[in-house]
Amino acid sequence: MADRELLQFHFNMEATPTVPTGSVRKIGAVLVIDPEFSGPRTVCFGFPGGGYNKFYYLLDHPDLTRPSQAEYHARRGIVFISCDPFGDGDGTRLAQEERDLETTVRAVDSAVAWTLERLRAGTLGGSWGSVEVDKTLGIGHSLGAMQLIVQQALYSTFDAIAVLGFSAVHSMIPTPNGYIEPGVQESDRAKTNLEDAWTGPIVENSSHLRFAYHCDDVPQRLVDEDMNVGFPTRRAHDLPPWISQTFPPFVTECLNDGIVRKEAALVDVPVFVGTGQIDIVPDLKDESNAYKASPQVTLYELGGSAHMHNFSPKRQTLWSELHKWFEFQC
């Protein structure tokens, strides 16, 4: 299996204009596929967390062994499509006021439909021909998971979703001394800019984010590259390939208590909730109750990992559990 050649195809998904007079918005994406698989296929779309792009699922670094998450699933028959955040990356660059959560999920839902239509017809542009799409899955990490929950509730985009590193109850930042939140009051977060929203000990003491993001077994060079670019505003001129220049504006609200509680309760497809041992999910057991309409909620904690699961030396254990869940659902 490890020797099979995978194809990577870089393209732009097209999103339906959000207003009648608007133009098509494009979202950068990379498709990873094993062309030797035949028959019905599961297609999985991956959405990164705040401050990251499509290469979170395609991490390629000297201090990380292969495969990436996209490659791992593709070698097992999944067609994996890793997406940039709406309004950043290789797609259409948008001003922050055009990237609110409601606009984002509407645009991404239409872009997923656009992509699936072309996969089925064999007109996306790759060399593998048409794909017989059986099931569709959505994976979201951190802020991408918040986006995914809302999108699924409003548009029923996928047949199942995986929520990684995000709490549908109340996301909070873990520190060695307990969970903390940004310094601004919840009622004011939606009204503030990024700098104002992310204040207090989370950003004033860099060791807090370091503790939350990466366990001690993550190679130090990789940690430095990931965390020395500036947070929440990017200070570095040259960014690692997996880092985005901006954060979606709804990052100012993502730690509000119950920010997606209403939407999570409307999700009526199977849900996989995965966290690290150290993560922004205070109590994994509570997550089951958030998805009241889901026919099945699967909970999994990756021992020895922090919030940035795909940087962890133990990451393939999570992917294995996730893939077993894929197979069960599909």
Side-chain angles (χ1 to χ4, degrees):
M1 184 183 296
D3 295 328
R4 293 167 73 116
E5 183 177 357
L6 300 176
L7 297 179
Q8 281 195 18
F9 179 67
H10 294 244
F11 69 105
N12 281 324
M13 305 189 295
E14 293 190 7
T16 303
T18 54
V19 294
T21 57
S23 58
V24 169
R25 302 305 195 189
K26 297 184 177 181
I27 302 172
V30 178
L31 180 148
V32 185
I33 186 172
D34 183 340
E36 294 187 30
F37 274 86
S38 60
R41 305 286 290 269
T42 296
V43 180
C44 179
F45 290 78
F47 305 102
Y52 292 82
N53 61 33
K54 59 181 173 284
F55 292 109
Y56 173 75
Y57 296 104
L58 288 154
L59 283 175
D60 184 10
H61 191 276
D63 292 339
L64 284 176
T65 57
R66 301 293 288 271
S68 67
Q69 184 173 5
E71 292 167 334
Y72 181 93
H73 295 309
R75 291 199 183 281
R76 290 155 178 81
I78 301 289
V79 179
F80 197 101
I81 299 173
S82 188
C83 307
D84 275 331
F86 179 63
D88 203 316
D90 293 330
T92 307
R93 292 296 185 100
L94 300 173
Q96 290 296 82
E97 56 267 25
E98 299 179 76
R99 301 174 64 194
D100 62 275
L101 184 56
E102 181 180 350
T103 302
T104 294
V105 298
R106 184 165 64 247
V108 173
D109 174 71
S110 70
V112 168
W114 181 93
T115 303
L116 291 172
E117 178 183 349
R118 281 152 184 80
L119 274 177
R120 291 184 172 105
T123 58
L124 189 61
S127 60
W128 55 83
S130 61
V131 173
E132 183 181 352
V133 178
D134 180 27
K135 298 282 182 138
T136 60
L137 301 172
I139 293 179
H141 176 255
S142 197
L143 195 69
M146 174 182 168
Q147 171 191 315
L148 178 61
I149 292 168
V150 175
Q151 181 178 329
Q152 186 65 29
L154 295 181
Y155 298 104
S156 300
T157 311
F158 301 107
D159 295 313
I161 63 171
V163 174
L164 306 179
F166 186 80
S167 172
V169 179
H170 189 188
S171 294
M172 301 177 72
I173 304 297
T175 76
N177 299 315
Y179 286 89
I180 58 175
E181 302 177 79
V184 68
Q185 293 296 314
E186 285 189 9
S187 59
D188 295 330
R189 283 186 201 149
K191 306 172 187 177
T192 60
N193 60 34
L194 185 61
E195 287 285 352
D196 291 337
W198 285 83
T199 59
I202 289 179
V203 291
E204 291 167 3
N205 185 342
S206 60
S207 67
H208 287 158
L209 274 184
R210 169 66 177 83
F211 177 84
Y213 273 32
H214 300 290
C215 285
D216 291 341
D217 59 353
V218 179
Q220 189 60 47
R221 177 172 61 166
L222 183 57
V223 173
D224 290 342
E225 290 180 29
D226 187 51
M227 304 210 66
N228 290 346
V229 294
F231 183 92
T233 300
R234 301 309 192 196
R235 297 187 304 269
H237 178 70
D238 295 318
L239 298 175
W242 59 86
I243 294 287
S244 65
Q245 186 67 53
T246 63
F247 288 74
F250 42 95
V251 74
T252 61
E253 303 175 79
C254 67
L255 299 187
N256 284 8
D257 185 4
I259 186 64
V260 294
R261 183 177 289 123
K262 179 180 70 174
E263 290 83 1
L266 297 175
V267 172
D268 59 0
V269 298
V271 179
F272 179 101
V273 182
T275 72
Q277 184 175 347
I278 299 170
D279 216 322
I280 67 173
V281 181
D283 192 338
L284 181 58
K285 297 188 300 297
D286 288 347
E287 299 301 311
S288 291
N289 296 325
Y291 301 96
K292 300 182 186 304
S294 172
Q296 187 231 359
V297 180
T298 300
L299 307 178
Y300 181 76
E301 179 182 289
L302 178 61
S305 172
H307 179 59
M308 302 307 297
H309 314 143
N310 284 6
F311 292 81
S312 170
K314 302 173 178 65
R315 59 194 176 278
Q316 286 200 36
T317 305
L318 171 62
W319 303 344
S320 175
E321 293 298 320
L322 189 54
H323 197 81
K324 291 175 189 174
W325 177 78
F326 285 172
E327 292 181 326
F328 178 76
Q329 300 307 326
C330 302

